[in-house]
């Protein structure tokens, strides 16, 4: 299995050489680990889809070293894009814009738009600056699985299909970037993340639309496959449950001798031979940071079910609720 290496200067030099040769390099970002390839090399980008087992029509985000590079990838760039980049880059925000003709269709899944992001992680930024081009990178997990927030997760997910894994420690934010679409008439939120709708609206001084799930949408074009309910799922059946209903559910499952994983944050559970519980942090930011690692830990125990205590329904928890909803959808 491909082992990760500490992302020192020599490792980054090696990563740049591999990217130039059209190979795959997994690298840390502040959100989750990405599986990177030279975004201008269609063959390299096709390798990403093979490694992930991802359908070719799911577009990738191109990572760039500064907002100055927007014009290398996009056309008709609205002032709003520069405003958001100025405020939030480097950071967990991806912006969808109309693409330059030169952007390979492999990157955009055949769409006329391209997703762009300047990540806020020293290793990612050093890699981008040393490489000098755009790096296309989805989360470095197998299609529809839990995103990796540590180098060891990438090893577990992708093994030898990746040529190098740069270890830059645990991702600080822990959930994927917020995605805003500025390619049309009205700014539209495609994926909630650490940067919230209200924060975006405050900078843009306008309301932004929220894209409905592709399953509810009458639009036949899949705008953001990340919105599919099947995304981010553990292999173990997972269920969201209010704190109030947890005791009776645990009791009923225990009577059936089910092995239960519990992801709680206020509910104090009893450890029994049948229950493996992880107590999550009470703040949304800390919860998000450890969410995927905790879900992965419970998933790896091969239990019968994972019960997740329903977090509050407030703005700060929006990205978490979105990912938990997807992790517990049985479509
Ligand atoms: O935080 C992140 O964004 C991480 C790190 C590695 O940067 N990347 C990530 O990539 O989450 P991925 O491929 O797992 O999710 C990218 C999302 C997908 O839902 C995809 O549909 C959407 O971005 N996307 C990319 N380009 C798009 C486009 N042109 N139009 C609409 N959606 C797009
Ligand atoms: Mg992903």
């Amino acid at each position: 299995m491909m082992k990760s290496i500490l992302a020192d200067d020599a490792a980054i030099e090696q990563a740049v050489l591999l990217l130039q040769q059209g190979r795959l390099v997994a690298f840390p970002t502040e959100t989750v680990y990405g599986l990177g390839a030279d975004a201008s090399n269609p063959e390299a980008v096709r390798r990403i889809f093979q490694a992930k087992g991802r359908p070719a029509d799911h577009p990738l985000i191109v990572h760039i070293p500064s907002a100055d590079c927007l014009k290398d990838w996009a056309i008709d760039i609205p002032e709003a894009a520069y405003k958001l980049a100025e405020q939030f880059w480097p950071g967990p925000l991806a912006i969808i814009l109309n693409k330059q003709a030169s952007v390979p269709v492999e990157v955009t899944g055949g769409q006329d738009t391209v997703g762009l992001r300047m990540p806020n992680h020293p290793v990612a930024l050093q890699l981008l600056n040393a490489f000098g081009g755009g790096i296309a990178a989805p989360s470095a997990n197998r299609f529809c699985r839990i995103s990796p927030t540590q180098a060891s997760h990438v090893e577990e997910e992708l093994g030898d299909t990746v040529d190098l894994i740069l270890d830059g420690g645990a991702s600080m934010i822990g959930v994927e970037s917020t995605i805003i679409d500025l390619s049309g008439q009205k700014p539209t939120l495609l994926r909630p993340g650490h940067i919230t709708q209200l924060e975006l609206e405050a900078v843009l001084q306008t309301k932004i639309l929220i894209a409905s799930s592709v399953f509810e949408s009458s639009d036949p074009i899949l705008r953001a496959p990340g919105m599919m309910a099947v995304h981010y799922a553990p292999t173990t059946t997972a269920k969201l449950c209010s704190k109030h209903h947890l005791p009776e559910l645990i009791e009923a499952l225990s009577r059936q001798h089910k092995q239960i994983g519990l992801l709680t944050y206020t509910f104090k559970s009893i450890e029994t031979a049948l229950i493996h519980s992880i107590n999550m942090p009470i703040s949304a930011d800390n919860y998000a940071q450890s969410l995927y690692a905790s879900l992965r830990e419970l998933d790896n125990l091969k239990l019968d079910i994972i019960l997740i205590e329903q977090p509050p329904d407030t703005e700060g928890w929006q990205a978490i609720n979105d990912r938990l909803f997807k992790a517990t959808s049985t479509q």
Side-chain angles (χ1 to χ4, degrees):
M1 195 205 278
M2 160 55 75
K3 289 272 176 239
S4 57
I5 59 172
L6 188 72
D8 57 13
D9 290 354
I12 289 190
E13 215 171 289
Q14 193 187 338
V16 169
L17 283 175
L18 285 167
L19 290 173
Q20 286 167 346
Q21 291 161 8
R23 313 300 309 185
L24 301 183
V25 174
F27 62 97
T29 84
E30 79 282 28
T31 57
V32 299
Y33 273 69
L35 177 63
D38 178 353
S40 67
N41 178 342
E43 200 187 317
V45 172
R46 277 198 292 271
R47 285 210 173 94
I48 292 181
F49 289 88
Q50 277 161 16
K52 279 187 64 104
R54 173 167 165 140
D57 60 354
H58 287 219
L60 305 176
I61 293 171
V62 177
H63 295 70
I64 51 177
S66 81
D68 292 340
C69 299
L70 278 172
K71 59 183 184 324
D72 300 336
W73 300 90
I75 52 168
D76 312 328
I77 305 171
E79 193 47 42
Y82 288 107
K83 271 195 198 156
L84 291 178
E86 162 98 30
Q87 183 71 29
F88 297 114
W89 283 4
L93 178 71
I95 304 175
I96 310 293
L97 296 167
N98 290 307
K99 78 177 195 75
Q100 284 275 2
S102 57
V103 183
V105 291
E106 283 79 1
V107 170
T108 63
Q111 312 224 24
D112 297 332
T113 53
V114 61
L116 295 156
R117 171 166 119 80
M118 178 186 180
N120 187 19
H121 191 290
V123 172
L125 289 171
Q126 195 183 340
L127 179 67
L128 282 164
N129 282 308
F131 178 60
I135 300 179
S139 50
N141 51 282
R142 307 256 329 141
F143 184 56
C144 287
R145 293 291 162 223
I146 303 168
S147 295
T149 53
Q150 297 171 23
S152 62
H153 299 166
V154 184
E155 289 175 14
E156 217 176 283
E157 284 287 317
L158 298 171
D160 284 331
T161 56
V162 48
D163 298 293
L164 181 68
I165 303 169
L166 294 173
D167 186 349
S171 297
M172 290 301 288
I173 291 192
V175 291
E176 301 82 351
S177 59
T178 306
I179 304 180
I180 188 167
D181 186 349
L182 297 181
S183 69
Q185 293 298 322
K186 293 242 171 71
T188 306
L189 188 75
L190 298 186
R191 180 172 71 183
H194 181 76
I195 294 169
T196 64
Q197 182 189 352
L198 288 181
E199 288 176 283
L200 295 168
E201 288 178 343
V203 172
L204 295 180
Q205 291 291 300
T206 177
K207 279 262 165 221
I208 56 179
L209 304 175
I210 310 278
S212 55
S213 150
V214 287
F215 287 124
E216 295 159 24
S217 170
S218 55
D219 186 347
I221 300 166
L222 221 59
R223 297 306 305 267
M227 298 170 73
M228 283 192 315
V230 287
H231 255 66
Y232 319 111
T235 49
T236 314
T237 303
K239 213 173 150 55
L240 268 171
C241 185
S242 71
K243 180 182 180 175
H244 179 67
H245 284 111
L246 271 174
E248 52 180 304
L249 197 51
I250 292 170
E251 206 188 299
L253 288 163
S254 299
R255 256 186 273 122
Q256 298 165 40
H257 304 285
K258 298 283 189 210
Q259 297 263 2
I260 309 165
L262 261 182
L263 200 71
T264 62
Y265 75 109
T266 61
F267 180 80
K268 293 276 170 287
S269 79
I270 329 122
E271 278 283 341
T272 73
L274 288 172
I275 301 175
H276 304 258
S277 79
I278 296 182
N279 222 311
M280 296 292 285
I282 206 113
S283 91
D285 285 353
N286 295 336
Y287 187 110
Q289 198 176 44
S290 55
L291 172 60
Y292 288 148
S294 302
L295 269 182
R296 185 176 288 274
E297 187 183 327
L298 290 176
D299 198 23
N300 285 346
L301 293 172
K302 305 277 173 249
L303 307 168
D304 295 307
I305 190 163
I306 299 171
L307 298 180
I308 304 169
E309 179 185 352
Q310 176 91 60
D313 193 18
T314 52
E315 156 117 343
W317 289 83
Q318 204 187 5
I320 293 165
N321 283 321
D322 171 76
R323 304 316 190 271
L324 288 180
F325 175 74
K326 286 163 182 163
T328 54
S329 293
T330 51
Q331 197 275 322

